[in-house]
Amino acid sequence: MGPVQEISQWPKVSKFAVSACAASVAELVTFPLDLTKTRLQIQGEYAPEKLSKSGTVNTVYRGMLSTAVGIVREEGPLKLWQGATPAIYRHIVYSGGRMLAYEQLRDFVLGKSEDGSFPLWKAAFGGMVSGALGQFLASPTDLVKVQMQMEGKRRLEGKPPRVHGVIHGFVKIAKEGGIRGLWAGWVPNVQRAALVNLGDLTTYDSVKHILLRNTSIEDNCLCHGLASTCSGLVAAMMGTPADVVKTRIMNQPLDSNGRGLLYKSSIDCLVQSVRAEGLRTLYKGFVPTWLRMAPWSMTFWLTFEQIRHAVGISSF
């Protein structure tokens, strides 16, 4: 009984591990774009100009390239990967969980049609549920990542550092806001993840199997590349507004009770941002988000499918 049970559980463990490995590779390759996106999303909260320590005026960055060049020039090239460690931790939990949950929902709970296809509405539902679940579990790591990404800018502005490392980040947040403080911003975080996975998982799964059923393209890198290109674009379009809100809530200063000083909730953040900066603010950082999601999605899916093939797991 024991050996049979162990063998039956192994595919789930290996699928989780494969997803986490593929996501870690994709995250490291594209992380600088995530950092520039975060900086762009945050800077609209403050005055358009800032005084440096010497009293001169520093104008905020305008666009992705300007932000990236500014970070390298003012903070050093390695700062483009500041916050990468909690990002890897996040994807071990988030990507491993969402991929395993989606596949279980698709194959055993929602069920495929008689011809083996997976209806679009089921794919959409499965993508949103698995993304929301994975992100809720991984939300504390995302919170630490966002705060670490802003440390370089805080030092340039003469502000004391908030986070000295990953472990310190978790401990500090838990001390200030309790265990619940680790889930600050989880609502827009989960909303964003549900929308991103609605775009990513649903699009990739649907496009891939449409190509396999209706064209001569085989289940190979070309098929995976075309499907991942579509999924990256759709995911960026659907997830950017919630990502802006999530980033601002996670980066805001807290009072002694662990409550945010700038926004009362994700809805309040959304209203304040649109009122002060217009609807376009909801797509701040869209270009780096898309330019990151496109290679991230392609790197992830190609790596994911190839590792599955190498270890003997069936294609996604």
Side-chain angles (χ1 to χ4, degrees):
M1 185 71 176
V4 174
Q5 187 176 18
E6 183 179 350
I7 292 173
S8 67
Q9 293 300 315
W10 171 243
K12 294 179 183 179
V13 175
S14 43
K15 287 176 182 177
F16 182 94
V18 167
S19 302
C21 289
S24 298
V25 172
E27 191 70 11
L28 286 173
V29 169
T30 62
F31 192 80
L33 288 169
D34 185 60
L35 181 68
T36 59
K37 173 210 70 174
T38 301
R39 295 288 182 89
L40 284 170
Q41 290 174 338
I42 290 298
Q43 66 182 6
E45 291 181 307
Y46 310 107
E49 294 183 335
K50 287 191 175 292
L51 291 175
S52 66
K53 295 178 183 178
S54 61
T56 58
V57 177
N58 291 331
T59 304
V60 296
Y61 299 129
R62 307 289 183 184
M64 180 191 70
L65 183 60
S66 173
T67 304
V69 171
I71 292 170
V72 172
R73 183 176 61 248
E74 297 173 4
E75 305 170 40
L78 291 180
K79 292 300 182 181
L80 289 173
W81 277 269
Q82 186 164 7
T85 302
I88 296 299
Y89 293 163
R90 169 185 179 261
H91 271 288
I92 291 174
V93 178
Y94 168 63
S95 288
R98 74 181 179 114
M99 298 302 296
L100 180 60
Y102 180 83
E103 204 161 356
Q104 294 299 306
L105 284 170
R106 182 187 67 181
D107 296 341
F108 302 109
V109 179
L110 298 173
K112 297 181 179 179
S113 300
E114 294 181 0
D115 60 357
S117 63
F118 194 50
L120 182 60
W121 74 266
K122 289 186 177 181
F125 178 77
M128 293 185 71
V129 170
S130 58
L133 176 62
Q135 186 55 64
F136 178 77
L137 295 175
S139 194
T141 58
D142 213 15
L143 178 60
V144 174
K145 182 196 77 170
V146 168
Q147 295 199 1
M148 287 185 67
Q149 286 178 327
M150 297 305 298
E151 283 307 300
K153 185 175 181 181
R154 287 177 59 85
R155 290 189 179 96
L156 289 175
E157 294 170 356
K159 298 177 180 178
R162 290 184 300 185
V163 181
H164 299 288
V166 179
I167 302 301
H168 175 258
F170 283 118
V171 173
K172 177 177 178 293
I173 293 170
K175 281 185 177 179
E176 292 178 350
I179 297 300
R180 291 181 60 184
L182 291 169
W183 271 265
W186 74 268
V187 173
N189 219 359
V190 168
Q191 291 169 343
R192 172 189 175 274
L195 292 171
V196 166
N197 280 274
L198 173 61
D200 183 33
L201 281 171
T202 303
T203 303
Y204 180 84
D205 198 15
S206 300
V207 171
K208 174 186 173 180
H209 289 94
I210 287 173
L211 290 174
L212 292 176
R213 287 196 305 269
N214 300 296
T215 71
S216 58
I217 296 177
E218 298 181 356
D219 191 357
N220 53 26
C221 290
L222 175 60
C223 177
H224 306 156
L226 290 173
S228 63
T229 299
C230 296
S231 67
L233 176 60
V234 176
M237 291 175 63
M238 300 192 72
T240 299
D243 192 39
V244 172
V245 173
K246 176 213 75 171
T247 300
R248 292 188 171 195
I249 284 183
M250 286 186 164
N251 186 63
Q252 69 175 327
L254 305 176
D255 62 17
S256 58
N257 295 318
R259 290 191 291 264
L261 295 175
L262 299 178
Y263 312 113
K264 298 176 182 177
S265 65
S266 58
I267 299 299
D268 182 49
C269 178
L270 176 68
V271 172
Q272 284 196 48
S273 299
V274 172
R275 184 177 296 162
E277 303 164 59
L279 285 172
R280 290 181 62 184
T281 192
L282 296 179
Y283 277 89
K284 275 191 173 182
F286 172 76
V287 172
T289 297
W290 175 51
L291 290 179
R292 183 189 186 231
M293 278 192 172
W296 194 99
S297 183
M298 182 169 289
T299 304
F300 171 76
W301 286 111
L302 289 175
T303 305
F304 179 66
E305 295 276 20
Q306 291 303 309
I307 295 178
R308 285 175 71 106
H309 176 73
V311 300
I313 303 176
S314 60
S315 178
F316 181 73

